[in-house]
Amino acid sequence: MYTWIWRHLPGGTALKTVQALVLVLAVCALLLFVVFPWVEPKLPFNDVTVDQ
């Protein structure tokens, strides 16, 4: 998969490296600001079943 992305990025090695870094940052931002806030209420981390 990574080689497919690398082969399809235009430019030389330096430009491909910058583009790959931008892609990684974009995916991280999408996960942090869109996906994780959407999933968080659906996760059972706050459903405590232990009584005092």
Side-chain angles (χ1 to χ4, degrees), residues 7-42:
R7 281 187 282 130
H8 286 82
L9 289 174
T13 304
L15 183 59
K16 285 184 180 187
T17 304
V18 171
Q19 291 173 352
L21 181 63
V22 168
L23 282 173
V24 167
L25 291 175
V27 168
C28 289
L30 180 70
L31 287 172
L32 285 173
F33 296 116
V34 177
V35 176
F36 293 155
W38 175 76
V39 170
E40 192 267 333
K42 297 170 178 23

Side-chain angles (χ1 to χ4, degrees), residues 11 24 29 45 48 50:
V24 167
F45 294 135
V48 178
V50 178

Side-chain angles (χ1 to χ4, degrees), residues 44-52:
F45 294 135
N46 292 330
D47 297 341
V48 178
T49 59
V50 178
D51 293 329
Q52 290 182 355

